[in-house]
Amino acid sequence: MRLSRAFLPTLKETPAEAQIVSHRLMLRAGLIRQTSAGIYAWLPLGLRALRKVSEIVRQEQDRAGAQEILMPTIQPAELWKESGRYDDYGKEMLRITDRHDREMLYGPTNEEMVTDIFKSYAKSYRDLPRNLYHIQWKFRDEIRPRFGVMRGREFLMKDAYSFDMDYEGAVRSYRAMMLAYMRTFQRMGLRAVPMRADTGPIGGNLSHEFIILAPTGESTVFYDAGFESMDWSQMEFDSSDPADLNKFYDLVTGLYAATDEMHDTAAWEKVPENSRREGRGIEVGHIFYFGTKYSKAMGLTVAGPDGTPVVPEMGSYGIGVSRLLGAIIEAGHDENGIIWPDAVAPFACGILNLKPGDAAADALCEQLYAALPGEAVYDDRPERAGAKFADADLIGYPWQAIIGPRGAAKGVVELKRRATGERLELPLDEALAKIRETLA
Ligand code: P5A
């Protein structure tokens, strides 16, 4: 991407409507553009980051044995009448009438639809266990959409749905998803604490929210101080062995943590008083075990090994994919702009030509640009250096390759690491090797 021809608009002014830093930076760096309250268009930089986040989510769902499908955004009201949620969901659901006066809705979640699809094919115990997921836009007509993509009305969610023969199977599926979530957030450079949570309109009696501790978070949370000293980056959450699964599960849920609604339980009493912490957090994921709530209501049964009908046990598992962009920026920024983790940065490197028109500088920039296909933005604009530095810091490329006439004459690139501010003067091939080390 050559900046002189790219659509990568940045704003100098801080937009007045944005109250939290991630929202301000997403607008200023040109990631998103609001089109209605709580509804956003994704601009090139934002879309690239959103895709990288989605891809990590996808890889970890696949690794955990879930299979990707894609269900539509528009659903028929009948499905929700079958489950009994059509009236319960209230004003948050965007209801639509088509030209034949049929009641439709823009899906806020897909428990009903996936149960209905699965029901058409699953006949016997051999068809279970299964876990189906999709990454699809949802609509919830939130009363107070705010903080940009954090609480949008239209937002991107990964939602997975598990079907098991019995309670033990459902718990295994739940634990496998929990570990997949730990890996997913870890790969994005986030520390997400699993906290016991209320199940709300999804229902059921076992549920965890995944919380990124942040002062700007919307959820009030209670947790054992032990969570603060755990070294998440060193933990390995990868196993398909059920024994390991239970061990890992005990590890991640070993310390007590809960959302506002749930902390007032006997377990909180067990946390020593000097270890009790109250804080705020961003909910980036939420998992539920709800048994036969939907399978029963919607008539899903399969034949067990002896032929008797069995109503499958279900769970659902959500990740706020678009919200994650906000959470990642809340967790990684400074006064100059975004500091992306390598794994989700929209581009790995910004190449800053300090003197376009200088033959040596132009040639070195072109060489570096050609060597990083798809991962570099080349700032070839006839702008002053200060403006280029400011934009590069704002957009937050993990690497900046700064090239001016003096260095270029010696074949040297000044490499700046955005996260640490560290600067290195390196010959082109060594600079390239450094950048490539951090590419996924
Ligand atoms: C689980 C998957 C569900 O909907 N059904 C399918 C279950 N859970 S949830 O907690 O209601 O949502 C899952 C995650 O979606 C994100 N999220 C939002 N993101 C942005 N704007 C919103 N208005 C919004 N609402 C929910 C959260 O990350 C949540 O954990």
Side-chain angles (χ1 to χ4, degrees):
M1 191 78 56
R2 282 169 207 277
L3 217 37
S4 61
R5 284 180 232 157
F7 182 65
L8 297 179
T10 54
L11 303 176
K12 283 202 187 53
E13 312 306 317
T14 298
E17 77 272 23
Q19 300 161 31
I20 60 170
V21 66
S22 58
H23 188 197
R24 280 199 291 275
L25 288 173
M26 288 184 83
L27 294 170
R28 281 194 55 214
L31 269 52
I32 52 167
R33 165 95 193 160
Q34 183 175 313
T35 59
S36 323
I39 306 184
Y40 293 86
W42 292 78
L43 305 182
L45 273 183
L47 181 59
R48 284 182 66 101
L50 188 66
R51 288 216 173 115
K52 290 204 171 174
V53 166
S54 307
E55 191 48 34
I56 292 176
V57 170
R58 178 175 287 119
Q59 285 171 7
E60 295 303 330
Q61 291 293 293
D62 291 349
R63 184 201 295 268
Q67 263 187 299
E68 188 171 15
I69 58 175
L70 183 57
M71 292 179 271
T73 55
I74 305 291
Q75 306 187 17
E78 281 82 60
L79 287 180
W80 289 70
K81 289 182 179 165
E82 266 182 61
S83 73
R85 277 208 293 183
Y86 191 61
D87 294 325
D88 296 354
Y89 227 92
K91 281 188 178 274
E92 254 191 34
M93 182 186 272
L94 180 65
R95 294 153 208 260
I96 306 165
T97 309
D98 75 6
R99 67 200 294 163
H100 304 293
D101 279 335
R102 279 190 284 253
E103 291 174 293
M104 314 289 283
L105 56 102
Y106 194 125
T109 176
N110 286 64
E111 279 81 3
E112 284 81 356
M113 183 171 275
V114 77
T115 305
D116 189 59
I117 292 171
F118 193 68
K119 183 172 79 176
S120 315
Y121 303 100
K123 300 296 172 218
S124 94
Y125 68 95
R126 287 185 209 90
D127 299 319
L128 274 70
R130 294 290 186 276
N131 187 328
L132 303 176
Y133 77 97
H134 72 162
I135 300 177
Q136 178 62 292
W137 294 92
K138 305 287 187 289
F139 194 94
R140 293 183 186 174
D141 203 351
E142 303 275 353
I143 314 186
R144 216 174 302 114
R146 58 179 186 160
F147 302 158
V149 299
M150 288 281 199
R151 179 167 298 279
R153 292 199 296 164
E154 190 185 48
F155 60 96
L156 191 59
M157 191 201 288
K158 182 287 298 181
D159 36 327
Y161 303 89
S162 64
F163 300 89
D164 279 276
M165 284 299 284
D166 49 29
Y167 174 75
E168 288 68 32
V171 167
R172 208 175 305 128
S173 296
Y174 185 92
R175 294 181 175 196
M177 271 295 122
M178 177 174 271
L179 295 182
Y181 276 36
M182 296 307 289
R183 271 186 69 91
T184 302
F185 300 128
Q186 189 183 49
R187 283 185 60 187
M188 295 173 193
L190 295 171
R191 291 158 50 114
V193 181
M195 302 200 180
R196 285 162 183 81
D198 192 23
T199 55
I202 306 291
N205 55 19
L206 174 61
S207 169
H208 284 88
E209 283 181 19
F210 290 77
I211 300 279
I212 311 288
L213 294 171
T216 48
E218 288 195 285
S219 317
T220 305
V221 293
F222 299 84
Y223 59 96
D224 190 314
F227 269 115
E228 287 167 344
S229 50
M230 279 164 86
D231 187 357
W232 300 81
S233 60
Q234 297 308 312
M235 287 186 197
E236 295 242 4
F237 301 106
D238 192 17
S239 178
S240 48
D241 177 333
D244 270 2
L245 207 63
N246 293 339
K247 193 180 76 200
F248 284 136
Y249 179 83
D250 291 345
L251 185 74
V252 291
T253 58
L255 293 173
Y256 188 81
T259 58
D260 200 3
E261 302 84 3
M262 292 293 285
H263 96 282
D264 204 11
T265 63
W268 182 241
E269 301 296 315
K270 294 195 186 116
V271 179
E273 243 173 89
N274 60 359
S275 295
R276 292 185 199 170
R277 296 284 181 277
E278 181 179 341
R280 301 195 69 76
I282 303 166
E283 178 200 326
V284 289
H286 199 162
I287 62 178
F288 304 81
Y289 159 73
F290 44 69
T292 58
K293 175 174 164 156
Y294 299 93
S295 41
K296 198 166 170 193
M298 302 188 69
L300 164 62
T301 57
V302 297
D306 61 359
T308 19
V310 173
V311 181
E313 295 266 332
M314 292 177 60
S316 74
Y317 315 91
I319 291 184
V321 177
S322 48
R323 175 178 288 183
L324 266 171
L325 275 278
I328 288 167
I329 296 171
E330 285 297 322
H333 66 269
D334 62 15
E335 61 284 3
N336 298 321
I338 302 171
I339 302 175
W340 291 106
D342 292 313
V344 296
F347 290 93
C349 183
I351 302 169
L352 281 52
N353 188 338
L354 300 187
K355 195 155 191 225
D358 177 89
D362 289 355
L364 196 57
C365 286
E366 291 291 347
Q367 240 182 310
L368 186 57
Y369 181 55
L372 291 169
E375 280 298 340
V377 170
Y378 175 17
D379 194 345
D380 57 344
R381 297 170 304 168
E383 294 273 347
R384 50 186 188 85
K388 296 191 179 191
F389 294 142
D391 270 352
D393 276 355
L394 173 60
I395 290 170
Y397 312 109
W399 296 103
Q400 295 172 21
I402 301 162
I403 298 176
R406 241 181 314 131
K410 295 184 287 178
V412 168
V413 173
E414 183 186 348
L415 209 55
K416 173 179 158 186
R417 187 72 166 147
R418 176 70 177 90
T420 58
E422 185 193 358
R423 288 167 192 269
L424 294 165
E425 290 223 344
L426 296 172
L428 180 72
D429 53 341
E430 286 178 34
L432 253 176
K434 274 244 166 247
I435 298 167
R436 286 194 177 128
E437 260 171 40
T438 61
L439 287 177

